[in-house]
Amino acid sequence: MKDTALLAVSFGTSYEETRKKTIEEIEKTLAQEFPQADLRRAFTSGMILRRLRERDGIHIDSVDEALKKIYEDGYQTLLVQPTHIINGDEFEKMISQLAPYREKFKNVYVGRPLLTSSKDYEDTVRIVMGENKDLKNDEALVLMGHGTGHFADAAYAALDYRFKAMGHLNVFVGTVEGYPELDDILPAIRRFSPSKIRLMPFMIVAGDHAINDMAGDDEDSWKNILTGEGFSTECALKGLGEMKGIRQIYAEHLKKALCTD
């Protein structure tokens, strides 16, 4: 057995197909970048853990369960990398669950979420636009983030600003549960008057929000609201975790933690 355990912590998803394309691919990247560590997984969403257990008979550890097992298995060094996007509620919950275990290990290193440093924003903009190279200048990319009541929700408006500061005036960032909402960015979309709108989730997985709130058939889905505004729309059900560059940012965050902690 190796001396080091690497715990990859995700919010989670109940959709198997996107889980394999996103969360599992991030975990594979981490395992490749840190071959000295044994990889473990934990989800922070109690609702998703419950759904997977009751619907599919799949057990995935909570953060506390995973940490307890890692400690009982005798590891001396603990690496933790969340796949969260912002330094919000889920990240803080993970940190609080980790706190009782910090003194139980010889070394503990924790990487940060995706949007942490100014460079993270710039890199993320480049990666997302690299995935949308075929987007024409008169077309718009509308990204759906999750959003939160936490003050870190400001990251989404900051990201929208960063896209435009880097020359992408046809990119608009909104959220389903925070600010800005679709109604907040609609005036700017109308002013831009795109020939077509591409909708894409700004979430690690293309799960429930992407399938239903963004691309769903209900009248209040973003697709149908924008279609009702007279725009031609298309939906790209691709989570951030499918993008190699995004996966690499997480690995770099953990490398940075090892250098600075």
Side-chain angles (χ1 to χ4, degrees), residues 9-10 33-34 39-40 50 70 74 79 102 104 107 128 132 153 163 167 176 187 191 196 200 226-227 240 243 250:
V9 180
S10 302
E33 294 287 342
F34 299 90
L39 180 69
R40 302 289 181 96
R50 202 161 45 246
I70 291 169
L79 312 181
R102 282 190 176 271
K104 296 179 183 292
N107 301 294
V128 170
N132 291 277
D153 191 54
F163 270 104
V176 279
R191 285 193 297 273
K196 183 192 288 187
M200 179 179 284
L226 290 168
T227 300
L240 293 173
M243 303 177 190
Y250 286 118

Side-chain angles (χ1 to χ4, degrees), residues 28-259:
K28 286 178 184 177
T29 297
L30 292 172
Q32 291 166 0
E33 294 287 342
F34 299 90
Q36 77 276 23
D38 286 328
L39 180 69
R40 302 289 181 96
R41 170 192 288 174
F43 285 177
T44 58
S45 172
M47 178 189 68
I48 287 171
L49 292 173
R50 202 161 45 246
R51 186 178 299 169
L52 288 171
R53 185 173 62 248
E54 295 173 358
R55 186 192 68 188
D56 303 331
I58 296 173
H59 176 83
I60 293 176
D61 287 338
S62 66
V63 174
D64 188 65
E65 288 173 331
L67 289 170
K68 184 178 181 182
K69 289 178 182 178
I70 291 169
Y71 171 67
E72 290 177 347
D73 286 343
Y75 291 94
Q76 297 295 304
T77 296
L78 173 65
L79 312 181
V80 182
Q81 180 56 52
T83 68
H84 302 136
I85 290 184
I86 62 174
N87 290 261
D89 289 317
E90 295 300 315
F91 178 69
E92 289 186 351
K93 181 168 73 173
M94 183 200 80
I95 293 297
S96 66
Q97 291 171 320
L98 177 61
Y101 289 89
R102 282 190 176 271
E103 294 184 1
K104 296 179 183 292
F105 296 97
K106 184 177 179 181
N107 301 294
V108 177
Y109 303 96
V110 183
R112 304 294 296 195
L114 179 67
L115 296 179
T116 296
S117 70
S118 182
K119 183 177 182 298
D120 292 337
Y121 285 81
E122 292 182 4
D123 289 344
T124 297
V125 167
R126 292 191 185 99
I127 292 162
V128 170
M129 295 317 295
E131 294 287 330
N132 291 277
K133 289 178 181 176
D134 61 331
L135 191 74
K136 296 180 174 64
N137 291 334
D138 64 347
E139 296 174 345
L141 174 64
V142 175
L143 297 171
M144 173 190 268
H146 190 280
T148 173
H150 190 279
F151 61 80
D153 191 54
Y156 295 102
L159 181 66
D160 182 273
Y161 194 100
R162 189 61 65 99
F163 270 104
K164 292 172 176 61
M166 292 175 67
H168 306 293
L169 303 180
N170 57 338
V171 180
F172 305 88
V173 181
T175 69
V176 279
E177 295 184 14
Y179 179 87
E181 296 180 339
L182 180 58
D183 284 347
D184 298 311
I185 62 174
L186 253 177
I189 295 172
R190 291 189 190 112
R191 285 193 297 273
F192 184 77
S193 189
S195 63
K196 183 192 288 187
I197 291 176
R198 178 177 300 169
L199 286 159
M200 179 179 284
F202 189 77
M203 304 177 191
I204 291 302
V205 304
D208 190 61
H209 285 302
I211 293 168
N212 296 309
D213 297 321
M214 188 188 83
D217 294 327
D218 290 346
E219 63 180 20
D220 61 348
S221 74
W222 285 24
K223 178 189 74 174
N224 283 337
I225 290 172
L226 290 168
T227 300
E229 288 278 330
F231 297 114
S232 171
T233 63
E234 64 178 23
C235 296
L237 290 172
K238 185 172 188 176
L240 293 173
E242 296 183 51
M243 303 177 190
K244 182 179 179 181
I246 296 293
R247 299 196 294 269
Q248 199 60 41
I249 289 176
Y250 286 118
E252 293 303 318
H253 280 193
L254 189 51
K255 289 178 183 177
K256 185 175 180 179
L258 281 163
C259 294

Side-chain angles (χ1 to χ4, degrees), residues 15-26 204-205 237-243 247:
Y15 289 84
E16 181 182 12
E17 183 179 351
T18 191
R19 184 169 66 243
K20 288 180 176 179
K21 290 179 180 178
T22 58
I23 292 173
E24 288 188 16
E25 288 301 315
I26 295 172
I204 291 302
V205 304
L237 290 172
K238 185 172 188 176
L240 293 173
E242 296 183 51
M243 303 177 190
R247 299 196 294 269

